[in-house]
Amino acid sequence: MCYQPAFLQIPYSMKQEKTSFLPTENSLVDMFSRSISYLRLSLTDRCNLRCLYCVTENEANGSLTKLQHDELLTYEELLRVVRVAVAMGITKVRLTGGEPLVRRGVLDFISHLGAIEGLDDIRITTNGLLLEQFGPKLHAAGVNKVNISLDSLRPDRVAAITGADCFNQVWRGIETMLALGCAPVKLNMVVMRHINDDEIVAFARLSQQLPLQVRFIEFMPIGVSSRWNSDTYIDTDEIMARIRALGELIPLHAGRNDGPAQVFRLGSDAIGSLGFISPISHHFCSRCNRLRLTSSGALRSCLLHDDEVDLRAVIRERSTDAAIAAALLTAIRNKPRGHHLKELIRQTGGDCHGRMSRIGG
Ligand code: SAM
């Protein structure tokens, strides 16, 4: 249906910042007629935090296994993949990790990324620790859409969740991006019962005072450490019900920027907005336009399916753009109609799937 590997033979070199080749139509359409236009790149599995939903207690105390440097795709390899993907129809790239800002040379990489013709939307998901330092350079390199993960507004609790006393530093990062005029600045809160759910209201109020999109994400049973269980999980309906006690939730038209979130304003005077992301209770698979490249160089067409295409091997063994294009098409052709997380949770009690820091969320 959509397998057309022969058409791409894009000459590549690091110096060639722009490719003159662009297809006339998006060739990245999957078996369920979804157009794939969004690529998430996990730049590294390393992170400067040890969040309780990402690592086990043992790992937090020092025994974390990390990828070796040669297991990561080099920046040159990543740029090559993105050039091919953009020529095929990808228009939006998100950098994630691990913590993307800890990979050495990331700003230089981003400026090369920004020079790729046809790629007009580069975003980043970060824990915010390095934003005060890197924010202005990120902004100058064209990254002005930032998602910042923050699961609590209480410094002691942030320390308990992340393993680092970092709330003030993250908050300065948020202020830096707001002062630079970044829009939107999104705050990601993973909502966990008994851990931070008593702050739902405080987070919602933030959106009334600041030009932020505060996003409530359903806690997913992913990762080796996952503290997930049916008790810690809270669905979006319950989160919304608690917020409605504060005022009216006025639906906003979810724009191109909002991805899978349902977006609302809390009362007519709110400066910011609220987003609700419900991968479990109201999954958005029928609208999914994403492809992921893990930090070990595997293409993954669904966060919650472990089928992967080993792109690193393709690049290093065959080394042609046509082979990269074929691998992208294979991953997309195999993209499942949807995930079966609810069923899996029933079967396993929530003991699911690989490492979030490698996949990148
Ligand atoms: N280090 C970056 C950060 O902290 O934003 C990027 C990587 S992190 C894995 C990406 C996102 O995944 C974060 O917003 C994080 O809160 C979210 N996340 C991680 N584990 C999760 C889980 N089990 N359920 C829901 N979201 C999760």
Side-chain angles (χ1 to χ4, degrees), residues 53 96-99 125-127 149 188 190 217-220 356 360:
Y53 41 67
T96 174
E99 173 50 41
T125 298
T126 170
N127 58 35
S149 306
N188 286 349
V190 178
I217 304 179
E218 283 181 351
F219 189 23
M220 290 181 282
M356 198 65 147

Side-chain angles (χ1 to χ4, degrees), residues 102-220:
V102 301
R103 182 155 172 189
R104 198 175 303 161
V106 66
L107 292 173
D108 205 30
F109 167 67
I110 291 171
S111 58
H112 280 96
L113 211 52
I116 294 178
E117 190 178 324
L119 178 60
D120 48 15
D121 192 342
I122 305 169
R123 304 174 182 211
I124 194 161
T125 298
T126 170
N127 58 35
L129 270 183
L130 292 170
L131 275 181
E132 188 182 17
Q133 183 186 341
F134 284 4
K137 286 183 186 145
L138 274 179
H139 189 249
V143 181
N144 56 11
K145 297 178 182 109
V146 194
N147 288 12
I148 303 166
S149 306
L150 184 65
D151 297 323
S152 171
L153 299 171
R154 287 175 36 184
D156 59 331
R157 191 174 273 174
V158 170
I161 293 174
T162 66
D165 182 11
C166 63
F167 173 80
N168 291 328
Q169 197 173 334
V170 175
W171 194 258
R172 287 198 299 275
I174 293 168
E175 287 178 334
T176 301
M177 300 321 281
L178 288 175
L180 287 165
C182 289
V185 174
K186 296 181 181 173
L187 230 56
N188 286 349
M189 176 203 195
V190 178
V191 186
M192 298 166 280
R193 198 188 303 278
H194 308 312
I195 298 177
N196 62 358
D197 65 310
D198 55 346
E199 295 188 64
I200 290 172
V201 162
F203 268 93
R205 284 211 172 99
L206 266 189
S207 78
Q208 295 182 302
Q209 298 146 9
L210 292 170
L212 293 167
Q213 183 177 108
V214 176
R215 308 190 333 152
F216 300 96
I217 304 179
E218 283 181 351
F219 189 23
M220 290 181 282

